[in-house]
């Protein structure tokens, strides 16, 4: 497998991922792609399987049912480490994360250990989200910053690049969060360990096609779990 592995979790993203795959592979020969699909009813896995049969740089991990974003990422990260990746990129399949920023994330690896695609580093850079969704995301970040004290503008960003050392240092099997909070917890654990984090300004756009998996349960989880993260950090249990 190549030096850089991009991990993309998917649930019903066939239309988006079929456009995304060629763009990601075009970035360069050193890019591999690992799609973690939760048995999407729309045939996402079958599509990736067919691509993977033709192209050794593409791999599919197929799980039996919808088991959540966090656990999909953990599975993908473990596989990427096993395959010897030096850099592990994570991104959504729905084009909210423009592949053009991957260069910037990788460039940041010269002098940082974790790069975040950040919507709020220079004001607010979100396009096409309804106001309530934007406010929720923005204030979730303000809330998180206050509660856990981590000086990051976009702690819930799901567009990142890790050096392998970061993922090796974080105890992946001990991660306690799944939805939005998964993103916060990963970055928080990296920050607590003193890894150098860089926020790269990105413009985030609403998903191209397909439907949202955002839910009130995910929001509720995030509200109390950041306190849990803070407490665990206080007792050096993260
Ligand atoms: N494997 C797997 N992937 C998931 C799951 N939930 C979401 N995803 C994928 O994770 C990425 C982010 O999920 P989204 O649904 O885009 O979440 P969001 O960006 O907060 O909300 P919307 O863009 O409004 O849907 C997408 O590529 C999804 O297909 C899951 O349970 N399992
Ligand atoms: Mg999305």
């Amino acid at each position: 497998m190549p030096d850089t592995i991009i991990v993309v979790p998917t649930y019903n993203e066939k239309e988006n991922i079929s456009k995304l795959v060629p763009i990601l592979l075009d970035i360069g020969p050193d890019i591999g792609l690992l799609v973690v699909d939760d048995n999407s009813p729309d045939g996402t896995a079958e599509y990736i399987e067919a691509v993977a049969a033709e192209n050794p740089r593409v791999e599919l991990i197929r799980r039996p049912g919808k088991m959540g974003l966090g656990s999909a990422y953990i599975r993908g990260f473990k596989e990427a480490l096993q395959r010897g990746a030096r850099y592990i990129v994570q991104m959504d399949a729905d084009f909210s994360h423009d592949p053009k920023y991957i260069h910037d994330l990788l460039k940041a690896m010269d002098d940082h250990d974790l790069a975040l695609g950040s919507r709020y580093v220079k004001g607010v850079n979100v396009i096409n989200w309804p106001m309530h969704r934007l406010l929720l995301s923005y204030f979730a970040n303000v809330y998180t910053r206050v509660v856990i004290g981590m000086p990051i503008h976009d702690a819930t960003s799901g567009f990142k690049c890790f050096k392998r050392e970061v993922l090796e240092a974080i105890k992946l099997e001990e991660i306690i969060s799944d939805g939005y909070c998964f993103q916060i917890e990963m970055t928080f654990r990296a920050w607590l360990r003193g890894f150098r984090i860089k926020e790269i300004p990105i413009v985030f756009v609403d998903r191209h096609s397909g439907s949202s998996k955002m839910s009130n349960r995910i929001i509720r989880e995030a509200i109390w779990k950041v306190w849990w993260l803070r407490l665990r950090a206080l007792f050096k249990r993260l």
Side-chain angles (χ1 to χ4, degrees):
M1 259 297 206
D3 231 26
T4 300
I5 294 185
I6 304 178
V7 179
V8 186
T10 54
Y11 192 76
N12 284 344
E13 301 285 8
K14 187 174 173 195
E15 207 179 324
N16 288 318
I17 198 95
S18 58
K19 294 182 190 121
L20 186 63
V21 168
I23 297 174
L24 294 181
L25 291 175
D26 254 8
I27 294 174
D30 231 17
I31 298 278
L33 187 57
L34 196 56
V35 176
V36 186
D37 186 74
D38 280 359
N39 211 12
S40 302
D42 76 344
T44 302
E46 288 73 13
Y47 169 78
I48 294 295
E49 217 161 41
V51 179
E54 303 279 303
N55 192 327
R57 287 199 284 144
V58 180
E59 260 188 77
L60 168 71
I61 296 173
R62 189 176 196 166
R63 305 196 301 171
K66 191 168 184 329
M67 289 151 76
L69 182 68
S71 70
Y73 267 127
I74 288 172
R75 181 71 196 279
F77 291 161
K78 285 182 177 167
E79 294 283 338
L81 289 176
Q82 249 176 28
R83 282 161 172 68
R86 287 177 65 199
Y87 307 109
I88 297 96
V89 174
Q90 63 160 85
M91 69 189 293
D92 294 351
D94 61 5
F95 283 96
S96 286
H97 298 149
D98 191 325
K100 74 178 179 196
Y101 297 116
I102 292 172
H103 281 296
D104 302 322
L105 295 176
L106 286 170
K107 181 112 198 21
M109 294 292 101
D110 290 346
D111 45 9
H112 291 81
D113 308 300
L114 168 58
L116 307 177
S118 178
R119 294 162 288 188
Y120 309 121
V121 72
K122 284 189 192 152
V124 174
N125 281 308
V126 176
I127 292 176
N128 277 348
W129 252 5
M131 188 50 94
H132 69 271
R133 184 89 194 262
L134 176 59
L135 287 174
L136 175 72
S137 168
Y138 185 80
F139 284 104
N141 272 288
V142 174
Y143 174 80
T144 301
R145 214 176 318 151
V146 172
V147 175
I148 65 176
M150 176 171 70
I152 295 289
H153 296 87
D154 194 349
T156 57
S157 167
F159 196 12
K160 309 181 182 181
C161 179
F162 297 92
K163 263 190 192 141
R164 71 173 288 124
E165 290 77 10
V166 179
L167 294 180
E168 284 170 339
I170 293 173
K171 297 185 191 79
L172 292 173
E173 47 296 314
E174 288 180 12
I175 299 288
I176 55 176
S177 334
D178 200 29
Y180 264 175
C181 212
F182 172 78
Q183 310 299 358
I184 300 171
E185 181 171 351
M186 289 295 295
T187 300
F188 191 40
R189 284 181 186 252
W191 180 69
L192 288 172
R193 283 166 177 76
F195 285 113
R196 298 160 302 169
I197 303 177
K198 182 165 190 181
E199 285 189 272
I200 308 281
I202 63 159
V203 176
F204 178 100
V205 290
D206 196 10
R207 56 166 49 255
H208 276 192
S209 47
S211 64
S212 177
K213 281 123 219 154
M214 183 55 180
S215 69
N216 285 337
R217 190 188 59 78
I218 290 176
I219 300 168
R220 279 198 302 274
E221 182 206 21
I223 290 171
W224 67 266
K225 240 177 204 158
V226 286
W227 286 99
W228 185 230
L229 289 178
R230 182 190 167 153
L231 274 175
R232 299 267 299 220
L234 213 60
F235 293 104
K236 310 247 178 297
R237 299 286 307 279
L238 275 187

